[in-house]
Amino acid sequence: MGLLAGVAITVAPAPAALAEDGAAQSILKAMSDYVGRQENLSLKYDADVEVVTPAVEKIQFSASGEVTMGRPNKFRVSRTGGYAEVELVSDGSTVTIHDRGGNRFAQVPAAGTFDEVVDRLRTEAPLEIPGADLLLSKPYEELMAGVLEAKHIGRGVVEGVECEHLAFRNLDTDWQIWVEVGERPVPRKYVITSKAVGAAPQYTLRLREWKTGVSPTADAFAFKPPEGSSGVAITMLNDIDDIPAGVVPGGAK
């Protein structure tokens, strides 16, 4: 009976929702278009990052923060975790990376759009704005790059909000996204699984308290150095990741 049950499961047709590749892409495109055309937006987020130690132990690190954007090139992003407290501020001409815990900051020119600033921070810092790919002016193109398979799994609930649940496969990663149902198709949850890394660690991002169409305050994107803080080169800010430095046997963190 066990063998016959296994055969039955193998040959059973896939649920209709799993076959709707076009539906997954359509929902993702609607989400991308909605977010991309918002001139002003703000949200709060919670992020979990998993790492795998040499002993094949999976450890998760958590952080929370806020995002405020004024397109095309102004933003303020904060991140508070157990090991670093960081803020990124762009007034449209200068990007400031503020290590609030270390009372120091670095500034670089911010010529270009939010999309261009994101690319520059990734290559020069490197710094990653949480959920940056979801906030670009054209998220769909970035998200679909390299996608081999798309599925509309069905519907799920994230923090009490009904969402469309989508799943995508790339060569080295699988990723899922939950998009709010209704007239405001914003992303509510985003999970990336690294298949090329042993034990398949995940990055999970939960997005909440979305506000769109609300004009930021006059000083929302202004940076005022705190008293006693010092300006440093951006290359000096190499210890502000949300994952702390490792521990070697007999050594310090």
Side-chain angles (χ1 to χ4, degrees):
M1 288 183 63
L3 176 61
L4 291 175
V7 172
I9 291 173
T10 301
V11 300
L18 298 181
E20 294 176 355
D21 292 3
Q25 296 179 22
S26 177
I27 294 168
L28 186 69
K29 184 66 164 60
M31 181 213 78
S32 300
D33 291 346
Y34 179 83
V35 174
R37 67 172 176 262
Q38 301 303 315
E39 293 186 2
N40 300 307
L41 62 83
S42 66
L43 60 95
K44 295 182 180 180
Y45 71 87
D46 300 296
D48 298 317
V49 182
E50 292 182 346
V51 298
V52 180
T53 71
V56 198
E57 180 182 9
K58 189 179 288 187
I59 304 293
Q60 188 177 87
F61 298 92
S62 298
S64 297
E66 300 183 20
V67 177
T68 302
M69 285 186 60
R71 297 190 192 276
N73 54 9
K74 296 181 179 181
F75 60 86
R76 180 182 291 270
V77 180
S78 67
R79 188 190 78 226
T80 301
Y83 302 90
E85 188 173 353
V86 183
E87 187 175 49
L88 278 73
V89 186
S90 172
D91 61 6
S93 60
T94 301
V95 172
T96 301
I97 302 97
H98 181 203
D99 173 16
R100 293 191 292 197
N103 206 21
R104 54 185 179 157
F105 64 92
Q107 294 183 311
V108 295
T113 63
F114 173 79
D115 301 25
E116 293 168 330
V117 171
V118 167
D119 284 340
R120 183 173 183 184
L121 289 175
R122 284 173 172 170
T123 56
E124 294 185 13
L127 284 170
E128 184 68 43
I129 296 175
D133 288 347
L134 306 177
L135 302 174
L136 300 174
S137 59
K138 296 182 179 180
Y140 183 78
E141 287 77 0
E142 185 74 19
L143 292 169
M144 288 298 295
V147 167
L148 304 175
E149 185 178 345
K151 297 185 182 75
H152 176 209
I153 302 300
R155 290 194 174 183
V157 176
V158 179
E159 295 186 348
V161 178
E162 188 176 23
C163 299
E164 301 285 7
H165 180 191
L166 314 178
F168 300 84
R169 306 205 76 185
N170 292 28
L171 183 62
D172 295 328
T173 60
D174 290 341
W175 56 278
Q176 303 172 70
I177 192 165
W178 286 255
V179 179
E180 183 174 325
V181 172
E183 298 180 354
R184 194 181 68 157
V186 296
R188 285 285 184 165
K189 184 179 176 183
Y190 184 41
V191 177
I192 303 173
T193 303
S194 299
K195 297 184 294 186
V197 179
Q202 291 185 323
Y203 172 75
T204 301
L205 183 69
R206 293 176 179 83
L207 307 161
R208 53 188 171 84
E209 297 186 35
W210 280 86
K211 296 180 181 178
T212 57
V214 179
S215 298
T217 60
D219 61 348
F221 308 111
F223 175 73
K224 297 180 180 179
E227 184 177 351
S229 62
S230 57
V232 299
I234 193 172
T235 53
M236 298 294 291
L237 300 179
N238 57 0
D239 56 351
I240 59 174
D241 196 4
D242 46 5
I243 300 176
V247 178
V248 296
K253 184 174 73 174

